[in-house]
Amino acid sequence: MIKIENVHKHFNENYVLRGVNLEVKDGETLTIIGGSGSGKTVLLRHIVGLFLAERGTVEVDGINLGAVREHELHEVQKKIGFLFQDGALFDSLSVGENVAFGLRYMNLSEQVIHKKVSECLMHVGLAGIESVRPSELSGGMKKRVALARAIARDPKYMLYDEPTTGLDPIFSDVINELILDLQKNLKMTSIVVTHDLKSVYKVSNRIAMLLEGKIIETGTPDEIKNSVNPSVQQFINGSSKGPIKLKIKEYQE
Amino acid sequence: MFNKTEEKIIELLNSLASSFILVYKTIISCFMKPFETNLVIYQMVGIGLRSLPVTILTSFSVGMVLALQAGYSAMYVFNEPLYVGTIVTFSIIKELGPVLTATVITGRVGAAITAELGTMKVTEQIDALYTLGTNPVKYLAVPRFLACITMIPILATIANIFGVVGGFVVSRYKLDIPSTVYWTDTLDFLKIDDFFHGFIKSVFFAAIIAFVAIYKGFGTKGGAEGVGKATTQAVVTTLVLILVIDYFLSALLVALRIG
Ligand SMILES: Nc1ncnc2c1ncn2[C@@H]1O[C@H](COP(=O)(O)OP(=O)(O)O)[C@@H](O)[C@H]1O
Ligand SMILES: [Mg+2]
């Protein structure tokens, strides 16, 4: 279980997270929705230890990430697969080496690693491209390779940062199917960050909305659709009119 | 809360602190297992191959021009080109070999390191490394640091040799100084300490090149534009630091009677 309690994070004058509370139960797929720049990525990064909470706690299976040493943190990280927004593939390494990267630190034989890599690539529908360089791949393929790399260590938790953003509708659906597939067949617990509503309704068991540094509402897709909160309604209806105003300050940099 | 000057000072202190932390972590990590030997060798070969031609070319030219200037200045004063070998050799080995090599390598290697690490930073590759259980300092900084600190002094030594040979070519064929005279002038006054003087300096320059490049690379923000900015900053900072520290290092080494 992942338990996020009262988490705060700011950059200079930009108070991004202002007391986030969220629980993710084992086996569920939780989607976090919220506008661009609302702090969704920042929140995900706290779960995998890339940011430490300034205030509040992030617990993964009872381990408080802010209170452990680096090697203990790496043990927790082994349970977590992270799909970065733009894939973050290592462009100095081949696709196969990319997928194998996290396995190298697990005392596995070369043979086992090799087998695992081709399995994972098969899983994302890209069997046999081990020797290709990431620079030769299209955006959608990069994302799928990144997904293969993230699932290679059989993580208990999968975090997806905007898995479908920037992909065409068909590719988006391929990714959605992959998420559903991992959830059903590998029983992964997933947290999906997205503002692609089609994707939200397709994959979620539960939805949480992040606004102004807080989770303002959580519920099943039906509960969210019928929410009485005007901000939630505005977001899921995609309207420019409502309580959520664009914060111009953010774009001043 | 603070005014602009105070903010700038705090910012400066912050970056000083974080650069010292990086230096500390990198040096400590050099001695911690697992040793990424392959990565170190890969970087060493990369740095060596990338910089060797330009190092040879610049040091050879500088040796030539030094001989020319020394020769004609001596002729002006003494009516004959005296001590050209001595002047060329001392200037090259104690000063220009290490400094010029460092300068050229800053543009060639330092810039490449910052651009590469900066790109990895803004495309979240460094974060990906970390979440996959790898320490970025160990995996990225250490091999580059070790490669710089071993290869740059070697390159500076090669530069010394080519500089002195460049001086010889001009002395012999332009100034008509007999070979034996040039080489006697060169070797008679030279002590092993003079060589160490330059060598030790080039080790320090190598460390400066590596640390500034790595620090600026890891700290890159703001997409492709940020990578460009970080690279320029790294090159300028390195060059200024090398030239300023050169004086103090030289003074220190002289005080210690090394060269
Ligand atoms: N490393 C960082 N340094 C400074 N500001 C950051 C950093 N990461 C994110 N931010 C800021 O935090 C806010 C939230 O960013 P993010 O979580 O990426 O938004 P999104 O919800 O679109 O994923 C933005 O205003 C962004 O500028
Ligand atoms: Mg984001």
Side-chain angles (χ1 to χ4, degrees):
Chain A
M1 192 174 75
I2 295 174
K3 205 163 151 193
I4 298 166
E5 254 177 306
N6 192 31
V7 164
H8 287 69
K9 179 78 185 177
H10 78 282
F11 303 100
N12 301 323
E13 251 114 84
N14 185 2
Y15 289 81
V16 182
L17 303 182
R18 309 176 208 169
V20 171
N21 290 296
L22 191 63
E23 269 189 32
V24 189
K25 297 181 201 77
D26 287 352
E28 76 170 339
T29 299
L30 174 88
T31 316
I32 301 172
I33 57 174
S36 296
S38 59
K40 305 184 295 297
T41 300
V42 171
L43 181 56
L44 276 192
R45 286 170 152 261
H46 278 85
I47 301 173
V48 72
L50 282 169
F51 284 144
L52 293 180
E54 282 158 9
R55 241 165 80 197
T57 54
V58 177
E59 278 182 17
V60 176
D61 293 339
I63 295 170
N64 178 356
L65 300 190
V68 295
R69 291 168 161 278
E70 189 160 314
H71 68 268
E72 290 168 286
L73 183 60
H74 281 319
E75 286 308 307
V76 175
Q77 285 173 334
K78 282 185 186 164
K79 295 191 209 170
I80 304 175
F82 195 120
L83 180 66
F84 286 87
Q85 196 162 334
D86 296 309
L89 293 179
F90 306 126
D91 35 41
S92 59
L93 302 179
S94 70
V95 165
E97 288 164 333
N98 261 282
V99 179
F101 198 91
L103 300 169
R104 296 255 179 258
Y105 297 86
M106 299 183 89
N107 295 326
L108 302 171
S109 73
E110 243 357 84
Q111 229 171 354
V112 174
I113 292 179
H114 197 81
K115 186 152 163 279
K116 189 80 205 167
V117 168
S118 52
E119 256 174 42
C120 290
L121 283 172
M122 195 143 73
H123 222 103
V124 298
L126 292 173
I129 65 158
E130 277 91 340
S131 58
V132 179
R133 294 264 141 190
S135 56
E136 298 166 43
L137 301 175
S138 72
M141 285 166 94
K142 273 187 193 159
K143 231 163 205 172
R144 287 197 277 166
V145 172
L147 186 53
R149 183 177 71 184
I151 62 174
R153 297 202 285 185
D154 295 322
K156 180 174 172 194
Y157 302 101
M158 263 304 296
L159 314 185
Y160 302 87
D161 195 356
E162 304 203 11
T164 59
T165 304
L167 301 184
D168 67 46
I170 296 170
F171 247 141
S172 300
D173 204 50
V174 171
I175 297 274
N176 287 338
E177 291 291 340
L178 276 173
I179 296 175
L180 284 172
D181 178 52
L182 292 175
Q183 170 192 339
K184 286 214 184 71
N185 295 330
L186 305 181
K187 303 274 175 284
M188 286 184 192
T189 307
S190 308
I191 305 177
V192 185
V193 155
T194 185
H195 38 220
D196 174 354
L197 291 171
K198 208 169 151 230
S199 172
V200 172
Y201 294 131
K202 180 151 188 173
V203 303
S204 315
N205 302 130
R206 221 150 53 91
I207 300 172
M209 176 151 172
L210 183 64
L211 180 71
E212 291 171 353
K214 290 201 170 91
I215 299 290
I216 55 161
E217 186 137 335
T218 55
T220 63
D222 280 333
E223 284 167 356
I224 292 289
K225 270 184 202 163
N226 300 321
S227 165
V228 292
N229 188 321
S231 299
V232 176
Q233 278 304 327
Q234 185 193 349
F235 192 87
I236 62 173
N237 293 324
S239 164
S240 64
K241 296 191 180 56
I244 307 174
K245 298 277 180 273
L246 273 187
K247 276 181 276 153
I248 304 299
K249 191 173 160 288
E250 274 178 8
Y251 301 93
Q252 276 177 350
E253 270 199 336
Chain B
M1 196 156 46
F2 299 108
N3 67 33
K4 280 269 175 274
T5 336
E6 285 170 35
E7 263 174 34
K8 280 265 178 272
I9 292 172
I10 289 172
E11 213 173 278
L12 186 75
L13 289 178
N14 266 331
S15 56
L16 261 181
S18 53
S19 53
F20 278 113
I21 290 171
L22 178 71
V23 170
Y24 171 77
K25 276 191 185 167
T26 306
I27 292 175
I28 290 289
S29 305
C30 287
F31 301 100
M32 284 193 320
K33 284 186 182 171
F35 300 117
E36 308 272 6
T37 323
N38 287 342
L39 292 176
V40 177
I41 292 170
Y42 179 81
Q43 289 296 328
M44 284 170 70
V45 172
I47 290 175
L49 290 183
R50 232 181 300 176
S51 319
L52 189 60
V54 68
T55 304
I56 290 175
L57 183 69
T58 46
S59 57
F60 195 78
S61 311
V62 166
M64 284 171 63
V65 77
L66 270 179
L68 195 73
Q69 299 284 22
Y72 283 106
S73 305
M75 275 202 265
Y76 189 70
V77 181
F78 305 114
N79 267 328
E80 53 178 319
L82 289 174
Y83 298 119
V84 173
T86 318
I87 293 171
V88 169
T89 305
F90 273 85
S91 313
I92 294 265
I93 286 183
K94 294 180 79 171
E95 202 51 54
L96 290 170
V99 172
L100 272 178
T101 308
T103 310
V104 167
I105 290 178
T106 302
R108 200 87 182 85
V109 173
I113 290 176
T114 308
E116 189 190 6
L117 296 184
T119 305
M120 291 187 76
K121 174 74 194 304
V122 299
T123 56
E124 297 183 312
Q125 290 178 52
I126 293 182
D127 297 323
L129 267 178
Y130 184 66
T131 61
L132 290 171
T134 307
N135 181 338
V137 170
K138 181 96 197 136
Y139 187 81
L140 298 172
V142 167
R144 285 165 179 77
F145 167 68
L146 288 178
C148 280
I149 209 151
T150 48
M151 292 311 284
I152 293 173
I154 293 175
L155 286 162
T157 306
I158 294 172
N160 288 343
I161 295 167
F162 277 88
V164 174
V165 171
F168 168 72
V169 170
V170 168
S171 304
R172 176 73 191 74
Y173 297 101
K174 181 116 180 118
L175 304 171
D176 285 323
I177 300 171
S179 316
T180 44
V181 174
Y182 182 85
W183 292 117
T184 318
D185 281 352
T186 296
L187 299 171
D188 267 7
F189 299 97
L190 195 65
K191 300 187 306 295
I192 190 75
D193 278 1
D194 298 316
F195 168 75
F196 281 130
H197 182 99
F199 192 84
I200 291 170
K201 288 203 291 192
S202 71
V203 173
F204 277 90
F205 297 158
I208 293 172
I209 293 172
F211 283 130
V212 175
I214 293 165
Y215 178 72
K216 289 287 180 188
F218 278 172
T220 304
K221 275 194 192 122
E225 194 195 345
V227 175
K229 266 190 204 156
T231 308
T232 318
Q233 279 178 11
V235 169
V236 174
T237 310
T238 308
L239 291 180
V240 171
L241 277 178
I242 285 175
L243 294 177
V244 172
I245 288 177
D246 183 35
Y247 175 80
F248 293 101
L249 260 180
S250 303
L252 179 69
L253 289 170
V254 169
L256 294 171
R257 300 188 189 286
I258 301 175

